[in-house]
Amino acid sequence: GGQDNGAAATEPYAREAKHFTEMNVLQRTCELVLAGTDKFGNLYAQITTKPEGSDASGGSAAAIAAAGHAQSSSVNLAEALLAQGLAKVVDWSASMLPAAVSAKLRATERAAKEQRLRMWTGWTPPTSSTAHLETNDTKYVGTVVEVVSGDTIVVLPPGKNAQERRISLSSLRAPRVGNARAGRQGEPYSAASKEFLRKTVIGKKVSVEVDYVRALPEGPTGPATSLTMATVSLPDKSSGEQHNVAVMLLVRGLATVQRHRADDERSSQYEDLQAAEAKAIQGKKGVHSGKDEPVGREPNDASQNANKAKQMLPHLQRGGRMRAV
């Protein structure tokens, strides 16, 4: 018979992926760990096949590759498909998984890409947007001297001639702050997000690790520019352990995780960000609460307006010396 022009075209390696799945799970004992549902009520789960004739667990995705469908150890089906280049990670469903599991799936997918397996045969790795930066510009420790919004800060590296650097938190979107001159109201929780970040990092030394640089085209608000996107960490006073500032915002519902396309550069701790956001959603925190932002006292910010700052200067001078950050 002829081809049905009304039918959707089959994607490359779709039949191979289906056959691989059938050969390894049909009539086999499998363990299912439910991860969540989509908006249509479809269930999503981790599927692990059990060894033939045994209830033992263990092994890795390499077991299927080495032994075909005659399994001698249990195998995570998603990981096995990724290892063979027969599947790719989808962000929205991967976010249902524990961070460690999601990270392992991404690492398996990356290995298949690098080996150019099956669906990745013609894959070309994207050029890093940080390739033009010097090493000391991609990883350094500096002092936070300004908080611009709930996801953007200004950091001053050490050194006599050091220049301030504007940093946005990778893969994060905080509610947009208002702009009086543009007549734009701030989004709900924008003030709370900015104030939490200010209290947390202002005047403190933080570790900055640049993940990528995002180019912004020329627009009505200004000329073409670029944003330096980084993972910013704050050391714990007692243990010295580094805490990701983005995670601190997300777990309180004061920001959301940026969704990326498959090959987009992203935060080096993207799975941790997704896990923190999931906790806030479950706990109905902040922007996920469905409630209006509590009304608080708005700070009198003159940092972006020279005339306003000059008007306030005499008052501050008369007040004498005071402690502040």
Side-chain angles (χ1 to χ4, degrees), residues 20 69 102 106 115 133 147 151 187 191 203 234 258 288 312:
F20 182 93
H69 63 276
S102 180
R106 290 187 192 281
Q115 296 176 60
L133 299 177
V147 173
D151 56 19
E187 295 179 357
L234 186 69
Q258 185 73 43
H288 310 293
M312 295 179 65

Side-chain angles (χ1 to χ4, degrees), residues 59-61 76 79 82 98-109 271:
S60 68
N76 181 295
E79 188 183 344
L82 290 167
V101 175
S102 180
K104 189 174 184 181
L105 295 182
R106 290 187 192 281
T108 303
E109 179 190 54
E271 285 75 26

Side-chain angles (χ1 to χ4, degrees), residues 61-269:
I64 285 185
H69 63 276
Q71 298 175 39
S72 58
S73 61
S74 57
V75 176
N76 181 295
L77 180 60
E79 188 183 344
L81 284 162
L82 290 167
Q84 295 297 304
L86 292 173
K88 60 183 179 181
V89 176
V90 178
D91 278 345
W92 70 267
S93 57
S95 64
M96 300 178 186
L97 302 171
V101 175
S102 180
K104 189 174 184 181
L105 295 182
R106 290 187 192 281
T108 303
E109 179 190 54
R110 186 164 54 251
K113 287 180 176 180
E114 292 170 352
Q115 296 176 60
R116 309 298 194 276
L117 295 178
R118 297 178 177 83
M119 65 184 293
W120 305 115
T121 300
W123 179 75
T124 302
T127 303
S128 172
S129 59
T130 62
H132 65 287
L133 299 177
E134 299 290 338
T135 302
N136 59 355
D137 289 332
T138 59
K139 195 171 184 179
Y140 56 90
V141 174
T143 303
V144 179
V145 296
E146 182 184 351
V147 173
V148 179
S149 67
D151 56 19
T152 302
I153 59 177
V154 177
V155 178
L156 179 64
K160 183 177 180 180
N161 299 317
Q163 299 292 314
E164 294 179 352
R165 301 177 185 178
R166 189 181 176 107
I167 301 295
S168 294
L169 302 179
S170 299
S171 300
L172 191 83
R173 186 191 185 279
R176 299 295 90 180
V177 297
N179 187 318
R181 281 186 291 180
R184 186 182 72 232
Q185 293 291 324
E187 295 179 357
Y189 290 91
S190 59
S193 178
K194 180 180 178 181
E195 181 61 9
F196 172 80
L197 187 58
R198 187 193 69 80
K199 287 182 176 180
T200 302
V201 302
I202 194 69
K204 297 179 181 178
K205 291 187 181 299
V206 295
S207 297
V208 178
E209 186 169 353
V210 177
D211 294 311
Y212 55 98
V213 176
R214 190 172 72 188
L216 295 179
E218 182 178 359
T221 58
T225 184
S226 62
L227 295 178
T228 300
M229 316 297 292
T231 296
V232 176
S233 302
L234 186 69
D236 185 276
K237 290 183 178 179
S238 56
S239 66
E241 181 183 356
Q242 296 287 332
H243 294 290
N244 187 334
V245 173
V247 168
M248 298 168 72
L249 285 159
L250 287 164
V251 79
R252 290 168 173 81
L254 297 176
T256 55
V257 176
Q258 185 73 43
R259 307 305 171 195
H260 295 283
R261 292 188 294 268
D263 280 335
D264 280 355
E265 294 177 289
R266 62 191 68 200
S267 168
S268 56
Q269 299 181 23

